[in-house]
Amino acid sequence: MELTYEPRIVGFLCNWCSYAGADLAGTSRTNYPANIRIIRVPCSGRVDPLFIVKAFQLGADGVLVAGCHPGDCHYSDGNYHTRRRVGLLRPFLDYLGLDKARLRLEWVSASEGKRFSEVVLSFTDTLIKMGPRSS
Amino acid sequence: MIEIIRNKAKEWLEKNEDGCVIGYERASDGMTARPVFIYEPHMMGKLIFDETCVHNLSKYLLNRRGTRTAVVVKPCDSRGINLLINEHQLDRDSIYIIGVVCPGMKESHFGRIEDHPLSKCRRCLHHTPAVYDVLVGEPQPETASHDYSDVARIEGMSLQERNAFWKEQFGRCIRCYGCRQICIGCYCQECFVDELDPLWVGIRSCPEDNWIWNIGRAFHLSARCISCGECERVCPVGIPLMLANRKLEKESADLFDFEPGMDAATAPPFATFIKEETLEKVE
Amino acid sequence: MARVGVFICHCGTNISGAMDITRVVEAARKMPMVVTASDNKYTCSEPGQASVRQAIADNKLNRVVIAACSPRMHEPTFRKAVAAAGLNPYLLEIANIREQCSWVHAHDRKKATDKAIELVKIAVAKVIRHEPLYPREVPVTKRALVIGGGITGIQAALDIANAGHEVVLLEQEPTIGGRMAQLDKTFPTLDCSACILTPKMVDVANHPNIRLITYAEIKEVRGFVGNFKVEIMQKARKVDHTKCTGCGTCWQKCPEKSPSEFDLGLGNRPSIYIPFAQAVPAKPVIDTDHCRYIKYLQWVADGEQGKKPPECRICEKICPTGSIAWDQEPQTITEEFGAVVVATGFQVYDHRHYEEYGGGAYPDVISGMQLERLMNASGPTGGEIIRPSDGAHPKTVAFVCCVGSRDQAKGRTYCSKVCCMYTAKHAIMLKEHDPHVQCYIFYIDVRAGGKDFEEFYLRALDDAGAIYIKGRPSKIYQDGKKMIVLVEHALMGRPIEVAADLVVLATGMEPRTGADRLAQKLNISYNTYHFLVEAHPKLRPVETQTDGIFVAGACVGPRDIPESVAQGSAAAAKVVGLFSRDALVTDPVTSVVNRDRCIGCLLCIAVCPYKAIDCETTRDKRVVAVVNESLCKGCGLCVGACRPKAVDLRGFTSQQILEEVNSLWS
């Protein structure tokens, strides 16, 4: 039985924490599935909710938005706003028929290389179990 | 009630010679209402107020910035004025708000006024305008709590059912942008959908782009939509737009304890944050 | 028309070992607007960079993608390489195919290669939309403001002034000197505190580059690094310092005395006073809360109700230079600065919060700082250590450590760092004053982490014979003439009682009252205890997240004198570095508002963490947002909030990011 479905994940990672954490995952030679495509942004607060909607419309199976832990944002407040924007978008998309588990908001610090790996692994696993999107 | 509206409007216009009174008059079908702009006090007899006055007249205020205007508003419309003041679009001092305690509006189709109220009026919470300079009618008590049974019905469906439901609804969209044109929260000079570079969403009416258009517009109105229901009223293909907007309204109330348009001063959810909040649905 | 060159790096075998570089190069050649694609073993090396520069020239490239290690590693390197080839350094994008590809997908060559191709595709899609960006220059006003005239502020001011720049040293008290002026001796050297401090105070007063403004506070701070506009409120001294010679006749004759702040209530001072003998400036201020004549003037103004206060005016009558100025009002002084150093120091935790220890209730339960004043020869008792209640010399003295520190119940969980050391110092000094005294020190831990600190603590143990008992007292109460300390002796495991003649509570450090309000005016952060927050606790200890505003000393966290002095100098070095250029180069990755699209909802202003966005009125009378590029840090929060997409972030524009997303499905 071979796996035919490879979920496509778009990740928006903030330069100062989560992108650095993803780099550390590489420096520490951890391993995670190759389904994620990372787009670097200066702050998770730069992520326009329309980017997320667009990614899903194009066909993304999952979207990961990653930023610094609340309180640690390099720009002091960015992630608080991201939290609110994604907080409203996620249940709304779910209501419209896009499973909320497909949009993930994670806080990853620059020192959490292993955690980043685990996040990608768990997200990819979840998406594989969920199967392709219904539409 | 209409006499009070006419008198107050006339009084105001006599004191503000360069001003304009925006209200309702009888439409050419002799039955329903339509907006009217009155510049002369002696024309005030044109004003009417009955259950066919469905239009949200506050949107016209955006065209009269820098001038003095009086406007007749229902409670839902008045919330739009608060929204616009909060977003620095209107100057409170240059508007004279004639707030009407609303008995509820009725649908009118094919030359007939229906005998049941609009669905938005059936579940209306606030019967007294949120802001006014003069109140016409006796203040009514608020209805006890929000009725989100319409939203709950959709929430109760399975993911696949919801997906199919909205695919069907948005599939009918012809991208006429009537919803955007009538909406009081949609006042951008250039809408994101008009921007070609970057192209946020294609211009054609097709399922994929219609999906982004409707979600984008609804999301831009999250914690801003004042539930006047005009978008749904004017949609030529009967998309239940309020069903989407009200889901965001419910979530804003749940997550941020925020109801748009109740006053002009409170900072909206996206302008602020609470450091300690955990939005359980996200984290 | 974009002409893109793609350069794929092997990075030795770090990248090439996990993927098929040839396939990536071939795929890159087919990408839109890519004119050339090549690979290199070590692109960051000199030959590697040279080959990139050559390729740019040969192919007339105007956009470059380098697929290699993380941009966090080598973006500056490759920007310089691209600039050396004559291109704007921002016409470069880096695809991270090492840390985020080859190093994490080492076990699947095909997938790693596929992913690398897509990462290159994303980078190409973005770089095509890059515009040249040009850093701006803003001028720098080479004047510094140092807020706080304690040892830290004094040190910073002297260092900046000695480097040749003008400094304004601002102090809210009538004199500089801070907490160090109140100390008798300093650990571990037992230097006389005033002896080492006052020469520096005099240097400040005499320095041609330092303007000293005492008895003044910050009213408002506007502007940005290199260009701060500060409004200072000079409080009314009621004494004209331009006429006053500091002869001291007035304060010797003033009849109205009240508790001295400097002596922490242990002694009195007159209503026209200098806080201590070596005050700088040595000219007095009038305490308008207690001055009899001021009270008289108030009585007249209030309609002459009640008892008439005496129309004293003795100071005015005897002043030889006519310096008393009853009608002097507070004044606002506006100054411009290029940098600000905050050195507002600390205050002592109020021991009266410890009712269980009798703080505030018993006169013989005093704070560590109050003991300093008793020990000091210029103090209220002339250096005699006596009990405040009856003036007797104490024979048994109990010290309680960690008062207001390490105490969850009192809401102060941090360690104040200096108390173990100053308590040891007190024990040593008490023994010097009186060989028959016995000190008991109730501690939780003894923290003696600095240079010569451990030896100093052993001196207290061995030479001064202090008895250290591990245990936190539960209660202190009075019994006759003695103070009874109830404590569990932790090492013995049973409760004991010690009867002491004097109890000294080793109170901790906390930021000055109002530190939070000052921080808000400066737009810098502070923590729950109101200690100011540094930009990075390890690597940037004297900077803040606000460019041009530096912090030093105990206002950042508990620390001792050598650390504070070092920080004062460190902050000064940062300021002098800032002033070493005539203009500051700003990062061009900033936001910009398209005024035609802006609807003036001002949501961007609400979310900007740096208050970098303002509003202005266009010629067609619309209110629109405008970004101050010197303040903008390029976070893009405003862009994420903007509904009409009026504001955009250079270097991470919406078009660029959307095309990155689009390219994954094209």
Side-chain angles (χ1 to χ4, degrees), chain A residues 43 73-82, chain B residues 273 275, chain C residues 607-609 637:
Chain A
C43 177
C73 178
H74 178 85
Y75 302 99
S76 65
D77 304 338
N79 47 11
Y80 296 128
H81 290 286
T82 318
Chain B
F273 56 84
K275 289 191 186 170
Chain C
V607 301
C608 177
L637 226 53

Side-chain angles (χ1 to χ4, degrees), chain A residues 57 83-84 90 94 107, chain B residues 162 212 269 277 281 283:
Chain A
Q57 180 260 307
R83 185 167 59 185
R84 285 200 159 194
R90 211 157 159 266
D94 188 87
W107 311 125
Chain B
R162 289 201 294 275
I212 302 187
E277 70 190 348
K281 296 174 190 197
E283 284 158 291

Side-chain angles (χ1 to χ4, degrees), chain B residues 65 86-89 185 187-192 194-195 197-200 220-221 224 268 270-272, chain C residues 594-603 606-607 622-623 641-645 648 654-655 658-659 662:
Chain B
R65 281 183 263 205
N86 182 263
E87 296 184 349
H88 310 280
Q89 301 303 308
Y187 52 81
C188 296
Q189 266 113 255
E190 260 187 80
C191 178
F192 76 92
D194 294 327
E195 197 172 13
D197 188 21
L199 190 70
W200 294 93
H220 277 186
L221 283 152
R224 300 175 65 232
F270 285 164
T272 180
Chain C
N594 176 332
R595 294 153 70 91
D596 294 328
R597 295 184 71 95
C598 178
I599 52 172
C601 73
L602 310 185
L603 193 54
V607 301
R622 292 179 305 119
V623 172
C642 184
R643 294 188 301 270
K645 314 302 173 200
D648 212 346
S654 294
Q655 190 201 33
L658 254 185
E659 289 305 325
N662 277 336

